[in-house]
Amino acid sequence: MSIVTVQLGQCGNQIGFEVFDALLRDSHSFQGLCSKRENEAYQTSCKERFFSEEESGVPIARAVLVDMEPKVINQTLSKAAQSGRWKYGQHACFCQKQGSGNNWAYGYSVHGPRHEESIMNLIQKEVEKCDSFSGFFIIMSMAGGTGSGLGAFVTQNLQDQYPNSLKMNQIIWPYGTGEVIVQNYNSVLTLSHLYRSSDALLVHENDAVHKICAKLMNIKQISFSDINQVLAHQLGSVFQPTYSAESSFHYRRNPLGIDWQVRPPLSGLPPLGKMSLSKDLHFNTSIANLVILRGKDVQSADVEGFKDPALYTSWLEPVHAFNVWKTQRAFSKYEKSAVLVSNSQFLVKPLDMIVKKAWNMFASKAYIHQYTKCGIEEEDFLDSFTLLEQVIASYCNL
Amino acid sequence: MTQSVVVQVGQCGNQIGCCFWDLALREHAAVNQKGIYDEAISSFFRNVDTRVVGDGGSISKGKICSLKARAVLIDMEEGVVNEILQGPLRDVFDMNQLITDISGSGNNWAVGHKVFGSLYQDQLLEKLRKSAEHCDCLQCFFIIHSMGGGTGSGLGTFLLKMLEDEFPEVYRFVTSIYPSCEDDVITSPYNSILAMKELNEHADCVLPIDNQSLFDIISKIDLMVNSGKLGTTVKPKSLVTSSSGALKKCHKKPFDAMNNIVANLLLNLTSSARFEGSLNMDLNEISMNLVPFPQLHYLVSSLTPLYTLADVNIPPRRLDQMFSDAFSKDHQLLQADPKHSLYLACALMVRGNVQISDLRRNIERLKPSLQFVSWNQEGWKTSLCSIPPVGHSHSLLALANNTCVKPTFMELKERFMRLYKKKAHLHHYLQVEGMEESCFTEAVSSLSALIQEYNQLDATKNVPVQDLPRLSIAVCCFHWLPY
């Protein structure tokens, strides 16, 4: 089953390139920790999901590149072509001449409607190329104008046009200390809109990834390239094939088929009695955790720690909230690797921070004239604030 | 990719403009080794087939045939423009891009604005429209002028209103040279204040610069070059004042070095829009991020480094020094001290081999010593452009929307009032048709209102920042959208 990736804006396109590169690189790096047949099945599955085949044999990424100015897309296309291992489709991009100016309103209200048809057509073409289509992976940042505003617009359109397909948005949380001065406005507007139209928001914070580069990888002069590669590595280890529960000989067909929709009970159900294994450590309360293990000794790995009720909200039994996927085929150059995808309170603090800063700025009305002149009114801001406060409250109550 | 048109008005505007075009050619020649007309060059230059009669057919791709500046040159005297057209840059301009007269504006804003404004209105419109038509996607007009004279000040600001009406979607970035205290034009306060009203109302963004600051920077550089400290030598092309490697061979006029600084400012401002980098910043992002309220659009700029020493290996300490310098008052292009005033917003535009971690480290380091307005505590906009300026391995342009512009405006107002109270030289203005005393009083009011805005912001300095009460949400049951 195939995923169509939509890369939006400078960030989305720069990351998108690294993701496809990481996926293909891993697909070609066989460590011999599983059988040859397994490896071949892995490679086939990976290719089917993310690439289509060309006569010349060079895999073409199943991706649509969108940006409102040409520099980054040009660079991305040529980097891919230069690698020789894969490339982007010839007609897979949509580009304009003048960017969105870090203005969410411009991306959403001006560029969106203006280029709706062209962009949706491109995406449609890519979807039609898939034998069996599973969903969308949309890569965007929150801080700028195109990724954030146009990204929100496109996601909404995808919701309308493909209501039965999964839409997962990879959003990049900006550094706490400015990349863009109006990043908090743009983030608030993006999140509130995505909440209404996306199925899952996969979040990566620049600050967190930066720390990984500095503390864990000891990189001295960290560039965006370094950051994007760490990100791509993480995403690759989530999206590469894993065994399905039914049979250990077939890779699961639906790569995004995690049960993201957790329905909380209506009020009135008593909390389940729980025995906590460890009372001292304080964890963020989760409603869903997915662990993916790859490589040596996966069958004997002990994941009992993840089933501790202390990790989960009182109205969920760990067995309903925790999932583990395994494959013996190792990822990249790592003999053993594990990745955790979590739906928990970890985002409450950063989200609260962004809402707080945006609210303080909104009270002074600073920069609002830049948004209203493109059709986003103060009311739209208020709606967004309201929705996000609700999200924060919901997560806090877990 | 977008294009920009430079409109250079008056003696000062044209002299700076000339330096700009010279350095722009030098920069693009250094980057574009193959001589292919690419999108970066197209932002400021047209590629023209000179064999085609008339306007010269524009060539959009392929080898560079003949580059023509996207510029309109305006002066009410002929001296400066004639010199440009006879100088080494003559092929970069053509006759269709000029508007000149012979009599000059006599250092009188009213003559520049009212007399020449109405006289040349149609011609101006025609030339501007033509230059816009040559652009695939015109994003910005860069207006270069001085405030103290008659043409740059008067006609330059007349243009602003015209551009706003005719091309409302195109940004208007104005580089204005403010008169220093010892300015030898007696009526410069009148001209400046009359011009300021127009800047307040019709410019998107103003970069105020004064001659004294430019002069101080040059003195500093001269001192460094001539001191022969520790036997170090300065790389000639790296001087922010130098035109080494450019077409003009030597500093004929005393202002050349100063003009080169301003020319470099414009090049660095547009570098991230023209060249690639890991974090691009287009011109429309400048306005979006640095102008929180429409009337507060004055940005103080500082450029570092002013020169590069000949030793090639730049240790990180040198890099950090670059950031520190950007905030020192010696590097500002206006007599201003942003460090001790209030920041509304700040942009750091870096060029060269600098990565995001260098940027972050320095922001963290410098932040505690700077005061930001309460609603924009982390008001930083950053950009990383891979291509450094000629002669440097890296450079930094800092743009600050800061209350430190206030003293310049207040001082200007004081000089104005000293003249106005005595009605000195007023008759030269009032005898121009369309000029009345109300023009003066309105202009002063406009400036006073602006100063008042800055005063109100300054009053919030040192007041502890308090978080405002947030929306309170009643959560009695979860809100989930039905599927």
Side-chain angles (χ1 to χ4, degrees):
Chain A
M1 288 189 80
S2 310
I3 302 175
V4 168
T5 301
V6 183
Q7 324 181 161
L8 292 138
Q10 172 165 27
C11 176
N13 280 293
Q14 282 175 191
I15 289 178
F17 164 76
E18 300 289 356
V19 172
F20 283 107
D21 206 47
L23 290 170
L24 201 63
R25 233 190 264 260
D26 166 59
S27 162
H28 287 165
S29 68
F30 179 37
Q31 281 195 56
L33 287 167
C34 63
S35 72
K36 259 188 132 183
R37 198 178 56 137
E38 277 171 52
N39 185 48
E40 273 159 32
Y42 184 88
Q43 288 179 328
T44 312
S45 184
C46 164
K47 286 252 177 76
E48 187 204 14
R49 288 178 181 192
F50 298 105
F51 298 90
S52 60
E53 204 73 29
E54 207 197 38
E55 303 93 51
S56 65
V58 178
I60 303 182
R62 296 189 192 277
V64 174
L65 296 81
V66 179
D67 203 355
M68 292 297 101
E69 66 100 11
K71 292 196 295 287
V72 181
I73 286 193
N74 287 341
Q75 251 201 319
T76 310
L77 290 175
S78 69
K79 263 164 76 174
Q82 269 168 25
S83 75
R85 289 184 302 266
W86 64 279
K87 59 184 188 186
Y88 284 104
Q90 241 183 346
H91 303 290
C93 346
F94 180 79
C95 201
Q96 287 296 284
K97 301 192 186 105
Q98 187 168 191
S100 306
N102 288 165
N103 191 332
W104 192 94
Y106 203 79
Y108 185 85
S109 308
V110 177
H111 281 309
R114 202 182 277 175
H115 307 301
E116 186 177 344
E117 216 184 303
S118 308
I119 297 176
M120 296 312 288
N121 276 344
L122 266 187
I123 296 179
Q124 169 115 5
K125 279 212 189 73
E126 202 57 50
V127 172
E128 280 164 14
K129 278 198 227 158
C130 304
D131 278 334
S132 108
F133 172 64
S134 105
F136 295 102
F137 183 53
I138 301 137
I139 316 181
M140 52 196 265
S141 73
M142 294 202 305
T146 299
S148 68
L150 186 58
F153 182 85
V154 167
T155 307
Q156 226 165 271
N157 269 39
L158 290 176
Q159 166 84 313
D160 294 334
Q161 223 176 303
Y162 303 87
N164 297 321
S165 308
L166 198 73
K167 287 160 294 299
M168 180 182 291
N169 292 64
Q170 162 65 49
I171 52 180
I172 303 303
W173 206 269
Y175 285 100
T177 315
E179 293 168 26
V180 170
I181 292 177
V182 290
Q183 64 186 43
N184 298 316
Y185 280 167
N186 293 338
S187 301
V188 163
L189 290 164
T190 303
L191 286 169
S192 62
H193 279 77
L194 286 182
Y195 257 96
R196 296 175 211 147
S197 50
S198 170
D199 297 311
L201 305 179
L202 205 54
V203 176
H204 273 97
E205 298 169 69
N206 271 347
D207 276 306
V209 182
H210 190 107
K211 253 198 214 141
I212 293 175
C213 289
K215 303 256 159 70
L216 293 180
M217 297 171 73
N218 274 315
I219 302 178
K220 290 277 173 281
Q221 200 189 22
I222 302 168
S223 66
F224 270 119
S225 200
D226 296 317
I227 293 191
N228 293 343
Q229 279 167 12
V230 169
L231 236 147
H233 183 98
Q234 286 188 351
L235 288 174
S237 54
V238 172
F239 287 125
Q240 289 292 46
T242 52
Y243 288 126
S244 60
E246 304 87 57
S247 143
S248 19
F249 292 116
H250 294 288
Y251 284 100
R252 72 179 50 237
R253 299 219 70 211
N254 188 353
L256 301 178
I258 308 163
D259 185 10
W260 299 102
Q261 294 305 316
V262 177
R263 286 194 168 43
L266 300 165
S267 52
L269 279 175
L272 302 156
K274 50 190 179 175
M275 256 280 286
S276 179
L277 292 168
S278 137
K279 286 195 171 68
D280 299 323
L281 298 165
H282 180 65
F283 296 100
N284 279 319
T285 310
S286 306
I287 53 176
N289 282 317
L290 169 65
V291 167
I292 304 175
L293 300 171
R294 300 177 187 273
K296 219 168 146 198
D297 304 330
V298 281
Q299 299 307 340
S300 50
D302 175 15
V303 292
E304 288 311 302
F306 290 98
K307 297 181 187 163
D308 184 349
L311 294 171
Y312 300 96
T313 181
S314 54
W315 41 263
L316 265 183
E317 283 223 61
V319 67
H320 297 308
F322 173 67
N323 246 302
V324 57
W325 293 353
K326 304 179 187 178
T327 174
Q328 268 170 310
R329 206 281 193 176
F331 179 72
S332 190
K333 49 187 190 262
Y334 299 96
E335 206 179 64
K336 296 186 197 176
S337 64
V339 68
L340 169 67
V341 184
S342 183
N343 186 345
S344 75
Q345 291 174 323
F346 90 99
L347 208 52
V348 169
K349 228 169 139 200
L351 182 58
D352 191 65
M353 184 62 77
I354 280 194
V355 171
K356 180 177 85 160
K357 290 186 197 169
W359 185 246
N360 281 342
M361 192 182 267
F362 183 67
S364 72
K365 300 286 177 275
Y367 300 102
I368 298 295
H369 69 285
Q370 309 271 14
Y371 292 86
T372 50
K373 74 178 180 205
C374 294
I376 297 294
E377 303 299 330
E378 289 187 23
E379 257 186 46
D380 299 306
F381 275 93
L382 284 171
D383 285 343
S384 298
F385 280 116
T386 310
L387 196 150
L388 289 182
E389 296 284 10
Q390 284 173 345
V391 171
I392 294 173
S394 305
Y395 268 97
C396 280
N397 281 342
L398 286 180
Chain B
M1 177 90 59
T2 57
Q3 292 82 39
S4 300
V5 171
V6 174
V7 185
Q8 32 194 93
V9 194
Q11 174 177 15
C12 174
N14 276 290
Q15 282 173 339
I16 293 178
C18 190
C19 290
F20 169 76
W21 291 111
D22 208 7
L23 292 184
L25 281 171
R26 183 179 78 164
E27 181 168 87
H28 280 287
V31 173
N32 189 329
Q33 305 277 337
K34 296 191 192 144
I36 303 284
Y37 181 69
D38 60 13
E39 293 200 317
I41 294 195
S42 82
S43 60
F44 280 116
F45 294 94
R46 290 167 55 210
N47 190 18
V48 157
D49 187 348
T50 41
R51 294 165 301 178
V52 174
V53 163
D55 201 5
S58 287
I59 313 170
S60 56
K61 284 191 198 162
K63 274 210 130 358
I64 292 175
C65 192
S66 171
L67 289 176
K68 290 267 181 249
R70 297 188 192 278
V72 180
L73 290 74
I74 304 168
D75 202 356
M76 295 297 101
E77 279 172 344
E78 289 184 314
V80 177
V81 175
N82 276 346
E83 216 183 310
I84 296 177
L85 293 179
Q86 284 156 19
L89 285 174
R90 60 180 169 275
D91 291 328
V92 173
F93 306 106
D94 64 52
M95 296 311 289
N96 304 314
Q97 297 168 266
L98 328 165
I99 297 182
T100 53
D101 198 299
I102 41 177
S103 42
S105 305
N107 284 327
N108 187 329
W109 183 93
V111 171
H113 196 99
K114 306 274 184 192
V115 175
F116 286 123
S118 59
L119 193 60
Y120 285 102
Q121 185 163 10
D122 292 334
Q123 272 197 59
L124 281 167
L125 209 50
E126 191 213 313
K127 309 270 178 192
L128 291 166
R129 277 199 196 128
K130 204 62 202 265
S131 68
E133 274 164 36
H134 285 311
C135 298
D136 210 6
C137 180
L138 176 62
Q139 185 179 45
C140 187
F141 283 108
F142 283 100
I143 296 109
I144 315 179
H145 71 153
S146 71
M147 298 284 278
T151 303
S153 178
L155 191 54
T157 50
F158 175 85
L159 259 174
L160 269 183
K161 177 87 174 64
M162 185 184 278
L163 289 172
E164 190 179 28
D165 291 336
E166 189 68 20
F167 307 94
E169 301 288 313
V170 181
Y171 288 90
R172 294 170 294 287
F173 277 39
V174 190
T175 305
S176 306
I177 309 297
Y178 278 66
S180 321
C181 294
E182 297 96 41
D183 196 77
D184 49 7
V185 175
I186 303 179
T187 50
S188 61
Y190 283 164
N191 296 329
S192 303
I193 302 254
L194 289 163
M196 274 225 45
K197 175 166 177 293
E198 309 298 315
L199 291 183
N200 283 345
E201 289 171 20
H202 306 299
D204 285 314
C205 218
V206 179
L207 301 164
I209 298 175
D210 70 49
N211 276 333
Q212 189 60 47
S213 302
L214 295 177
F215 187 75
D216 289 342
I217 290 177
I218 293 180
S219 311
K220 202 170 160 214
I221 295 177
D222 279 343
L223 207 65
M224 184 62 205
V225 173
N226 295 324
S227 73
K229 248 192 208 166
L230 307 168
T232 51
T233 45
V234 174
K235 284 195 204 166
K237 273 192 189 173
S238 72
L239 291 169
V240 75
T241 54
S242 114
S243 36
S244 166
L247 290 172
K248 298 196 310 171
K249 286 308 168 202
C250 58
H251 291 183
K252 287 225 188 83
K253 288 183 265 335
F255 286 110
D256 260 2
M258 290 158 66
N259 294 339
N260 275 330
I261 299 178
V262 184
N264 273 309
L265 164 68
L266 288 173
L267 280 178
N268 287 343
L269 189 70
T270 55
S271 59
S272 189
R274 289 176 290 136
F275 301 118
E276 42 100 31
S278 63
L279 191 58
N280 295 335
M281 177 161 158
D282 209 348
L283 294 170
N284 49 13
E285 296 174 34
I286 296 179
S287 192
M288 178 71 189
N289 284 284
L290 295 174
V291 182
F293 300 99
Q295 60 277 30
L296 300 176
H297 56 246
Y298 293 85
L299 307 178
V300 179
S301 46
S302 66
L303 280 175
T304 60
L306 300 174
Y307 50 80
T308 308
L309 297 179
D311 43 4
V312 175
N313 273 319
I314 320 272
R317 186 174 40 89
R318 204 56 78 72
L319 188 61
D320 287 11
Q321 185 60 44
M322 181 176 79
F323 281 90
S324 300
D325 284 343
F327 290 91
S328 98
K329 70 176 162 70
D330 294 338
H331 282 76
Q332 309 300 319
L333 300 190
L334 188 69
Q335 299 276 290
D337 191 6
K339 236 176 162 167
H340 295 106
S341 306
L342 189 66
Y343 275 91
L344 303 181
C346 185
L348 296 175
M349 305 180 67
V350 188
R351 297 179 69 170
N353 184 19
V354 183
Q355 302 302 340
I356 186 70
S357 57
D358 300 312
L359 199 49
R360 305 200 52 70
R361 179 180 69 246
N362 281 287
I363 291 180
E364 290 302 308
R365 188 173 60 84
L366 293 164
K367 216 167 50 142
S369 59
L370 305 170
Q371 277 205 67
F372 275 80
V373 72
S374 65
W375 41 260
N376 204 1
Q377 289 280 289
E378 275 102 14
W380 298 92
K381 165 69 181 161
T382 55
S383 78
L384 295 165
C385 171
S386 316
I387 313 283
V390 174
H392 292 270
S393 58
H394 47 247
S395 78
L396 170 63
L397 164 65
L399 291 175
N401 192 338
N402 186 304
T403 56
C404 67
V405 288
K406 197 178 66 174
T408 301
F409 296 159
M410 284 174 62
E411 212 244 336
L412 201 57
K413 184 177 162 191
E414 264 166 59
R415 279 192 268 154
F416 173 95
M417 293 311 289
R418 261 180 268 150
L419 283 177
Y420 191 62
K421 279 200 186 107
K422 295 184 278 186
K423 308 280 189 216
H425 305 281
L426 216 51
H427 58 283
H428 291 301
Y429 292 80
L430 297 176
Q431 71 194 18
V432 173
E433 195 185 318
M435 280 300 284
E436 289 160 15
E437 279 216 36
S438 60
C439 297
F440 285 84
T441 48
E442 275 168 23
V444 177
S445 293
S446 170
L447 183 58
S448 300
L450 184 64
I451 293 175
Q452 189 49 17
E453 295 260 5
Y454 284 112
N455 277 334
Q456 281 174 347
L457 286 165
D458 270 336
T460 67
K461 256 197 319 185
N462 299 323
V463 173
V465 179
Q466 272 181 336
D467 290 332
L468 293 155
R470 301 253 292 270
L471 295 174
S472 46
I473 305 293
V475 180
C476 44
C477 64
F478 294 93
H479 295 262
W480 296 94
L481 297 170
Y483 237 75

